[in-house]
Amino acid sequence: MVASKAVTIVALALPVLLLTTTAWPQSHALPAGDVQAIYKRLLPQIERIKIFDHHAHPGFGDDPDVDAQATPPQHLPYRARETNPELVTAVKALFGYPYSDLSDEHMRWLADRSSKAEKGGGTEYFDAILDKCGIEASVANRVAMASYLNPKRFRWVFFVDSFLFPFDNKSVTGENPDQGVYIPLQEKVLHRYMQQAGISRLPDSFDDYLGFITRILEENQKKGGIAIKFEVAYFRSLYFSDPSKDAAAAVYRQYHSGGVPAPEAYTTFQDYVFRYLVREGGRLHLPVHLHTAVGEGDYFSLRRGDVLNLENVVKDPRYLATTFVLIHGGYPYFREVIWLASMKNVYIDTSEIEVLLYPSEFKNALKLWLETYPEKITFGTDAYPYSSALGSEQEYWLGTHSARDALTAALAEMIASGEVTEVEALKMARGYLHDNAISLYPR
Ligand SMILES: [Zn+2]
């Protein structure tokens, strides 16, 4: 009896012994490891990951097809100003720029270089930019593709906002100086689509108008379009009610051949057409990209553009077949936006944020997201030809370098705090920089 009692004591004591001698995973608030050493170990591995840039507007500065809108005069945030010395680093790395400032005189060197490439018309110039930034392929979110962009490396995402503005837009255009710049450009895009469909005026019936929209979506998909893009947060609220088709058709009947609709009537029409486009995006397997962060221009409304306004749409089970990509991650509402990614069809893109913010702060947003839904976060630069100092070329460089730095720092902290292993961290890095986004599109 004595012997068996001893055995029982040993058996009981064994799990306790194991618990005290084996390091079972447990995360902790303070880093237990050497964050700097982990960062140094991870960085070269992360630099080798070829990137898929999920949101960019590549192009030369004078190409009107780069975007469906222009940049109104604005008070630029600190890092985006031409005084940012990182821009000199970017052009030295990309082009071997021989000067150490961006004075008007020296920038002529850059302008000459790019206009020579533009005149040459080949695809090598932008291919080389991607190569230098370690980008395998990039989205080209543009009104139309350009012959100087290699279709094997640049994948077209086209704009659909203009379908929401077919009537007399006098009242919208007069809202503030920014709208005065934006809305006429939307009208131009709609006219372009009408030309594409061979019509000189809006169809008589609402059903035919919806048929015209579908025709453009299908044609643009055949021309290589992989997703549709809304920048509608610049023009109106991101809250879309759920009006009946009859209500929208009544507005169309009244205004398609003239007259300025009252704001409520116009909104009813737009809410219906927006949801129609969301459904078509699901049917045609064209993911829906939505601008969801603070935008350019001094009049951008943070309240109207708040990404949470989209909650009733992205969490609507009727749209489970539609993939939503929340471009620019709803910034500054980044703490809130990640909870929308609980939906299997909702993804968060980080473009613009890694250039608006410095890496020291971008790292914190990225870390929170990777700690919550790491498989739903995708990378983008928002490269765009803002000015001769900040062209899309420089932004590709700044975006990729800032993001790799912030990503490595976020993962190093997570490893040192016992949240993930290095193997898991590198899987997250590959997901963020490439795999998560690429899985959404046909090869
Ligand atoms: Zn953009």
Side-chain angles (χ1 to χ4, degrees):
M1 288 302 289
V2 171
S4 91
K5 200 173 179 185
V7 169
T8 313
I9 289 166
V10 169
L12 282 172
L14 201 60
V16 178
L17 270 175
L18 273 175
L19 278 175
T20 49
T21 53
T22 311
W24 292 104
Q26 188 183 359
S27 52
H28 18 253
L30 288 174
D34 183 340
V35 178
Q36 285 286 347
I38 303 171
Y39 175 94
K40 281 198 187 121
R41 201 159 59 232
L42 286 186
L43 187 62
Q45 300 179 72
I46 284 175
E47 281 173 339
R48 276 197 295 274
I49 300 170
K50 289 284 177 226
I51 286 177
F52 179 71
D53 185 338
H54 204 183
H55 181 72
H57 313 267
F60 293 109
D62 59 354
D63 180 347
D65 286 344
V66 168
D67 204 337
Q69 65 171 63
T71 317
Q74 60 176 330
H75 188 200
L76 283 169
Y78 188 64
R79 199 181 181 203
R81 296 179 197 169
E82 297 192 355
T83 45
N84 180 358
E86 292 173 291
L87 299 178
V88 179
T89 313
V91 286
K92 277 184 177 294
L94 288 174
F95 307 120
Y97 181 70
Y99 307 107
S100 51
D101 63 41
L102 292 172
S103 67
D104 288 349
E105 191 196 335
H106 291 158
M107 277 207 302
R108 227 169 286 142
W109 184 93
L110 271 182
D112 286 349
R113 216 173 179 286
S114 100
S115 75
K116 210 191 271 166
E118 193 174 8
K119 276 195 201 96
T123 57
E124 317 80 41
Y125 179 80
F126 273 98
D127 278 354
I129 300 291
L130 295 194
D131 291 340
K132 283 190 177 140
C133 296
I135 301 173
E136 173 187 286
S138 169
V139 154
N141 181 199
R142 297 172 45 102
V143 174
M145 281 303 270
S147 57
Y148 59 77
L149 295 175
N150 175 358
K152 291 202 182 85
R153 308 285 298 274
F154 292 91
R155 308 196 65 191
W156 189 32
V157 171
F158 57 97
F159 292 97
V160 291
D161 306 272
S162 61
F163 295 121
L164 307 188
F165 293 90
F167 307 138
D168 188 327
N169 293 307
K170 232 178 251 121
S171 58
V172 200
T173 312
E175 221 172 78
N176 63 49
D178 288 1
Q179 303 297 22
V181 174
Y182 298 147
I183 301 298
L185 289 166
Q186 292 305 317
E187 293 170 342
K188 242 169 99 176
V189 175
L190 186 66
H191 275 115
R192 200 164 168 154
Y193 284 154
M194 286 166 67
Q195 263 175 357
Q196 184 176 333
I199 54 175
S200 55
R201 58 186 185 88
L202 293 174
D204 286 334
S205 79
F206 186 46
D207 273 328
D208 286 348
Y209 184 69
L210 297 177
F212 154 64
I213 294 176
T214 292
R215 177 182 168 168
I216 297 298
L217 299 185
E218 289 175 350
E219 280 182 14
N220 286 0
Q221 186 173 34
K222 280 197 196 95
K223 284 198 264 176
I226 59 165
I228 58 176
K229 165 79 184 303
F230 284 103
E231 47 194 6
V232 69
Y234 279 96
F235 319 131
R236 51 152 283 167
S237 167
L238 281 181
Y239 178 77
F240 295 91
S241 67
D242 194 4
S244 67
K245 185 177 178 188
D246 286 351
V251 179
Y252 187 84
R253 252 193 320 275
Q254 199 176 342
Y255 296 104
H256 77 278
S257 55
V260 181
E264 306 76 53
Y266 216 154
T267 302
T268 298
F269 169 83
Q270 291 175 340
D271 290 359
Y272 183 86
V273 174
F274 174 81
R275 285 171 180 266
Y276 178 79
L277 281 156
V278 163
R279 275 197 305 276
E280 286 292 83
R283 184 180 70 83
L284 294 166
H285 303 293
L286 286 169
V288 175
H289 290 199
L290 290 137
H291 174 107
T292 62
V294 62
E296 292 162 48
D298 293 335
Y299 295 93
F300 185 91
S301 168
L302 278 164
R303 201 172 288 279
R304 292 195 324 188
D306 182 344
V307 64
L308 286 192
N309 283 323
L310 286 169
E311 191 174 27
N312 64 327
V313 171
V314 301
K315 292 203 164 183
D316 187 328
R318 287 175 297 169
Y319 306 137
L320 278 173
T322 303
T323 297
F324 294 99
V325 184
L326 305 176
I327 301 288
H328 318 314
Y331 198 83
Y333 306 109
F334 70 94
R335 289 182 189 284
E336 291 85 350
V337 76
I338 188 61
W339 299 104
L340 298 180
S342 68
M343 294 297 290
K344 74 172 182 53
N345 53 328
V346 176
Y347 289 77
I348 314 270
D349 148 83
T350 67
S351 66
E352 185 191 351
I353 316 172
E354 76 269 338
V355 182
L356 265 187
L357 304 179
Y358 282 95
S360 61
E361 179 58 16
F362 175 54
K363 176 213 45 167
N364 297 326
L366 191 56
K367 186 174 165 217
L368 178 73
W369 289 350
L370 291 172
E371 286 170 339
T372 316
Y373 290 112
E375 64 287 343
K376 306 304 279 299
I377 316 301
T378 72
F379 168 81
T381 56
D382 201 26
Y384 179 92
Y386 286 97
S387 63
S388 40
L390 186 56
S392 52
E393 302 93 318
Q394 289 93 310
E395 228 183 324
Y396 270 127
W397 191 91
L398 202 57
T400 49
H401 280 76
S402 297
R404 283 195 186 99
D405 176 24
L407 171 66
T408 310
L411 293 172
E413 286 184 5
M414 289 163 70
I415 293 165
S417 294
E419 297 169 18
V420 290
T421 63
E422 287 198 27
V423 171
E424 287 161 342
L426 284 167
K427 186 166 181 266
M428 281 186 186
R430 284 191 298 275
Y432 167 55
L433 294 173
H434 183 273
D435 298 353
N436 298 347
I438 212 88
S439 71
L440 303 178
Y441 307 99
R443 289 281 177 155

